[in-house]
Amino acid sequence: GKTPEHLIHIVDEWVARGKNVLATRAEPSIAAAICARIARAQYDPVSRCLAIIQQPIEPVDRRLCIVAAGTADVPVAEEARRTAAFFGVEASTLYDVGVAGIHRLLGQIETVRQADACIVVAGMEGALPSVIGGLVACPVIAVPTSVGYGTHQQGMTALFAMLNSCAEGITVVNIDNGFGGACAALRILRTIQR
């Protein structure tokens, strides 16, 4: 919702201070203007994330797995993945493993079980976080998406399903909030002792 002028000013301020910058939900035209001004700027059109790395990112030795139910959920999952990477956590990903093709998830469930935390992104009826919550012991962060048809109600159906999950202890963030899902996972991962 910021104007291009505001965003460019904000980015210029942080770059002048030598800081790393992460912008989410960056519109392509604004991202193009910033990339034209700043050679280090990198924009990913799938996640709509723009990053400018000026300082080394300290790697975090934690295992994060990001799971997306369908290919339409990938932009939100990629927003989560790029946010986690910006803060030093490289995530493994499992995409297109939703309940409609549950065999694809079950064939790779050990990847999820080895994670210290898991972000699960799903639209439609939002069932995937409940399934994963019943199969793994690590913290699960559920991210509903506005993907679907029929009575998906722009993600409200998935949000309500995740909030009412019978797999106890699932954390739920707002609709299409891959950034928030990653931030919740980062808080959890930073508290884990090794």
Side-chain angles (χ1 to χ4, degrees), residues 126-147:
L128 188 59
S130 292
V131 170
I132 291 178
L135 294 172
V136 304
C138 71
V140 174
I141 298 98
V143 183
T145 67
S146 54
V147 172

Side-chain angles (χ1 to χ4, degrees), residues 18-80:
K19 303 290 186 181
N20 292 340
V21 177
L22 175 66
T24 60
R25 309 278 171 102
E27 293 298 324
S29 60
I30 297 171
I34 292 170
C35 288
R37 293 171 60 92
I38 301 164
R40 288 188 172 139
Q42 296 179 343
Y43 178 67
D44 175 59
V46 174
S47 65
R48 294 174 35 209
C49 288
L50 180 129
I52 302 166
I53 307 300
Q54 300 188 107
Q55 300 293 323
I57 295 173
E58 187 73 31
V60 177
D61 185 26
R62 300 293 182 266
R63 294 173 305 227
L64 175 63
C65 186
I66 301 174
V67 181
T71 54
D73 301 308
V74 169
V76 175
E78 279 295 294
E79 181 182 66

Side-chain angles (χ1 to χ4, degrees), residues 18 26 42 87 121 160:
Q42 296 179 343
F87 291 103
V121 182
F160 290 150

Side-chain angles (χ1 to χ4, degrees), residues 9 51 108 116 136 184:
H9 176 73
Q108 301 181 71
D116 296 312
V136 304

Side-chain angles (χ1 to χ4, degrees), residues 4-187:
E5 295 77 20
H6 286 143
L7 282 173
I8 290 169
H9 176 73
I10 291 166
V11 169
D12 284 347
E13 285 281 321
W14 284 102
V15 168
R17 294 179 191 177
K19 303 290 186 181
N20 292 340
V21 177
L22 175 66
T24 60
R25 309 278 171 102
E27 293 298 324
S29 60
I30 297 171
I34 292 170
C35 288
R37 293 171 60 92
I38 301 164
R40 288 188 172 139
Q42 296 179 343
Y43 178 67
D44 175 59
V46 174
S47 65
R48 294 174 35 209
C49 288
L50 180 129
I52 302 166
I53 307 300
Q54 300 188 107
Q55 300 293 323
I57 295 173
E58 187 73 31
V60 177
D61 185 26
R62 300 293 182 266
R63 294 173 305 227
L64 175 63
C65 186
I66 301 174
V67 181
T71 54
D73 301 308
V74 169
V76 175
E78 279 295 294
E79 181 182 66
R81 186 185 68 77
R82 288 183 176 273
T83 300
F86 183 82
F87 291 103
V89 176
E90 292 298 327
S92 58
T93 58
L94 299 175
Y95 292 171
D96 199 20
V97 294
V99 295
I102 198 77
H103 61 283
R104 293 188 295 266
L105 171 64
L106 297 177
Q108 301 181 71
I109 195 62
E110 287 310 311
T111 301
V112 186
R113 286 188 173 138
Q114 292 171 5
D116 296 312
C118 181
I119 299 171
V120 184
V121 182
M124 299 291 289
E125 81 280 24
L128 188 59
S130 292
V131 170
I132 291 178
L135 294 172
V136 304
C138 71
V140 174
I141 298 98
V143 183
T145 67
S146 54
V147 172
Y149 45 77
T151 60
H152 77 91
Q153 299 180 2
Q154 291 75 44
M156 295 298 293
T157 300
L159 174 65
F160 290 150
M162 292 173 188
L163 288 171
N164 289 293
S165 173
C166 59
E168 66 285 338
I170 290 176
T171 298
V172 183
V173 299
N174 212 341
I175 299 166
D176 293 332
N177 192 2
F179 173 79
C183 290
L186 290 163
R187 286 177 179 261

